[in-house]
Amino acid sequence: MNSRKNFTARQLRHTSLAIGLGLCLIGTGAVAQSTTGSIFGQVQAGSGETVLVKSSSGVTRQATVDSTGRYAVDSLPLGNYTVTLQHDGQAVDSRSNVTLRVGSGTEVSFGGQNAQTL
């Protein structure tokens, strides 16, 4: 009878230990920080505009400007970037030394915005 009681107590300790370790492993995943950022902005709406984003480490992404003149490039590794506005593949304007912030977006807009009367 006593050995059965010891076996049950030992089994309970092992189960409790396994649950505790599992909770510790789950908790560490929530602590991880994002190491990416994004670049977004607005250009004067037209046709054939794209935005080329290139980092000093060689990461290159391209985004098409939508019909309202907006663009966005997400999930970029942190670093310094050059953002170039292109029309039909030719560079029109450029911004250098754009630094990303962790987990947020950095605005890089080109040209004057069309004013609207409210």
Side-chain angles (χ1 to χ4, degrees), residues 9-79:
R10 192 173 3 165
Q11 189 176 17
L12 182 60
R13 278 193 303 255
H14 287 278
T15 303
S16 298
L17 179 62
I19 290 171
L21 287 174
L23 290 174
C24 288
L25 291 175
I26 290 171
T28 59
V31 177
Q33 290 184 355
S34 173
T35 57
T36 62
S38 63
I39 294 175
F40 67 95
Q42 180 137 3
V43 303
Q44 286 185 324
S47 61
E49 278 90 7
T50 57
V51 175
L52 180 68
V53 177
K54 186 173 183 178
S55 75
S56 55
S57 65
V59 173
T60 302
R61 305 263 173 84
Q62 191 168 6
T64 303
V65 177
D66 68 13
S67 61
T68 62
R70 294 188 177 119
Y71 75 92
V73 182
D74 298 322
S75 301
L76 292 168
L78 296 182

Side-chain angles (χ1 to χ4, degrees), residues 100-116:
L100 295 185
R101 294 177 293 225
V102 175
S104 66
T106 301
E107 182 178 2
V108 180
S109 293
F110 295 93
Q113 307 305 320
N114 293 334
Q116 293 180 348

Side-chain angles (χ1 to χ4, degrees), residues 1-6:
M1 177 108 153
N2 201 12
S3 66
R4 183 174 180 191
K5 194 175 190 180
N6 286 341

